[in-house]
Amino acid sequence: MTRPSPDPTRRRVLRTALASSAATALPLAAARTTAHAAARPRARSVGSLGDQSAVRTLTLGDVRLTYIVDAAMELDPAGFFPAIPASYWRARPEALTPSGRVAASAGGVLVERGGRRLLIDVGLGANALPPGLGVARGGALLRTLRALGVPPGSIDTVAFTHLHTDHTGLGFVSGPGRREPRKAFPRADYLVARREWGPFWNGEVEVGAPSWDGFMVPMSRVLRQFEDGDEVWPGVTALVTPGHSPGHTSYVIATAGGRRVLVVGDAFHTPAQMEHPEWPSGPDVDVDGVLDARTTLLAELRAPRTYCFAFHFGDRAFGRLAPRPHGGTGWCPVPASVLLPPPIRFPERAHPSSSPST
């Protein structure tokens, strides 16, 4: 795939900004002794699509990725996925929670390399899903990091796939006696695509927009914007994939040995959309744009030695595309070590009114 050449001036500016934060990152030896110190990895395994995600980690070459789970979400099949036939869910009961909804955890993916730490997205926090889309309960992100022995101050960069509430929830925190929210990750640069920031800041986006005073205003004072194709962190390139939101961004992580990981944000909410990219999600602002974004990402994911991280794929966040027995390709989860169980769960009781309609 041919990508447009990024603006070299913006790349130099961004690299300079990131280099300044590198001085505050942990040395490699210190990172190895403190990161995840409180967790004992269990054997690598594959979870269930119908469960909330455990806190899982996967190492590829010189990069370690860990899903820092913040929230449990259950999406209403009809309300969130109006284009997916009810027959699809009836034929796959294992893809649903006991309540008849779609398991979709939220959080951030921690990327560690060379003693530095990048966090992509920051979960749901105290936000809630709009009525009709499902139920959610969050706020565990900082607690999960503490349990892993990762101080917020050790993260040098926070990058956002997009600015919806389930990806921005713990960007800023308030405390007693503080008039304004402060960065939850005090030493980190906060990065977002220019194409994403403008429409949200100008009030052009309503669906999924984060709190104005709790996120947008404090973010406006600290953010650094980037363009499609910019290297936003060593070995991590922005791939702007608009559709779900105006400047939704996926990230391509290059690892030693030639492997890559794509962090696809909300370009896909369920593995079903990888087999049927024509099935949009309810909150998508541009359905045609989503199809274009998925076409681009699926082409990237079909490349050899390419892996994927998807925030909302139940307990199967790490995976790759693989051939199906009867043709085509589909989501194949990759075994990843469990560090901690899901930090938040819902009671396993039935909610008949939330079951797929016929």
Side-chain angles (χ1 to χ4, degrees), residues 195-278:
R195 190 168 174 179
E196 179 79 352
W197 176 255
F200 277 87
W201 183 243
N202 294 328
E204 299 167 13
V205 180
E206 295 182 3
V207 176
S211 164
W212 186 258
D213 292 327
F215 182 88
M216 293 299 296
V217 171
M219 181 70 172
S220 71
R221 300 186 179 117
V222 301
L223 87 161
R224 298 184 186 275
Q225 300 179 56
F226 58 79
E227 307 289 350
D228 181 36
D230 280 353
E231 184 180 57
V232 300
W233 197 75
V236 179
T237 303
L239 177 60
V240 178
T241 47
H244 178 64
S245 65
H248 179 280
T249 303
S250 303
Y251 293 96
V252 184
I253 304 169
T255 77
R259 287 180 287 189
R260 302 186 308 159
V261 184
L262 267 66
V263 177
V264 297
D266 279 5
F268 303 92
H269 286 96
T270 171
Q273 294 168 329
M274 289 188 160
E275 297 184 47
H276 296 275
E278 73 278 10

Side-chain angles (χ1 to χ4, degrees), residues 67-277:
Y67 191 9
I68 309 299
V69 180
D70 169 71
M73 300 197 302
E74 291 189 357
L75 307 179
D76 185 273
F80 203 97
F81 301 105
I84 300 182
S87 58
Y88 177 88
W89 303 114
R90 285 199 300 269
R92 297 164 180 81
E94 74 282 356
L96 300 177
T97 68
S99 67
R101 300 189 183 103
V102 178
S105 298
V109 57
L110 180 66
V111 184
E112 296 176 283
R113 171 166 36 205
R116 294 189 59 178
R117 288 174 173 150
L118 160 71
L119 184 63
I120 301 176
D121 290 346
V122 292
L124 178 76
N127 297 314
L129 290 180
L133 296 184
V135 295
R137 186 163 68 241
L141 186 98
L142 298 177
R143 184 171 73 246
T144 302
L145 284 169
R146 286 196 298 270
L148 296 176
V150 178
S154 70
I155 293 171
D156 62 74
T157 307
V158 173
F160 294 94
T161 61
H162 62 299
L163 298 182
H164 285 168
T165 55
D166 58 320
H167 294 258
T168 59
L170 267 299
F172 298 88
V173 294
S174 300
R178 293 184 179 273
R179 293 184 177 181
E180 298 179 353
R182 57 181 175 82
K183 291 196 297 185
F185 305 95
R187 296 180 176 178
D189 287 303
Y190 277 36
L191 311 181
V192 67
R194 184 178 301 278
R195 190 168 174 179
E196 179 79 352
W197 176 255
F200 277 87
W201 183 243
N202 294 328
E204 299 167 13
V205 180
E206 295 182 3
V207 176
S211 164
W212 186 258
D213 292 327
F215 182 88
M216 293 299 296
V217 171
M219 181 70 172
S220 71
R221 300 186 179 117
V222 301
L223 87 161
R224 298 184 186 275
Q225 300 179 56
F226 58 79
E227 307 289 350
D228 181 36
D230 280 353
E231 184 180 57
V232 300
W233 197 75
V236 179
T237 303
L239 177 60
V240 178
T241 47
H244 178 64
S245 65
H248 179 280
T249 303
S250 303
Y251 293 96
V252 184
I253 304 169
T255 77
R259 287 180 287 189
R260 302 186 308 159
V261 184
L262 267 66
V263 177
V264 297
D266 279 5
F268 303 92
H269 286 96
T270 171
Q273 294 168 329
M274 289 188 160
E275 297 184 47
H276 296 275

Side-chain angles (χ1 to χ4, degrees), residues 283-349:
D284 294 340
V285 299
D286 178 0
V287 172
D288 291 337
V290 166
L291 183 57
D292 289 342
R294 291 176 180 172
T295 301
T296 296
L297 290 169
L298 289 171
E300 294 281 355
L301 289 169
R302 291 188 185 101
R305 303 174 67 80
T306 300
Y307 297 77
C308 180
F309 174 85
F311 286 94
H312 302 314
F313 282 19
D315 196 17
R316 295 185 169 184
F318 294 100
R320 60 190 309 178
L321 283 187
R324 290 299 192 205
H326 303 292
T329 56
W331 181 250
C332 178
V334 172
S337 300
V338 175
L339 298 178
L340 297 169
I344 297 177
R345 293 181 184 270
F346 287 108
E348 295 188 356
R349 59 177 182 270

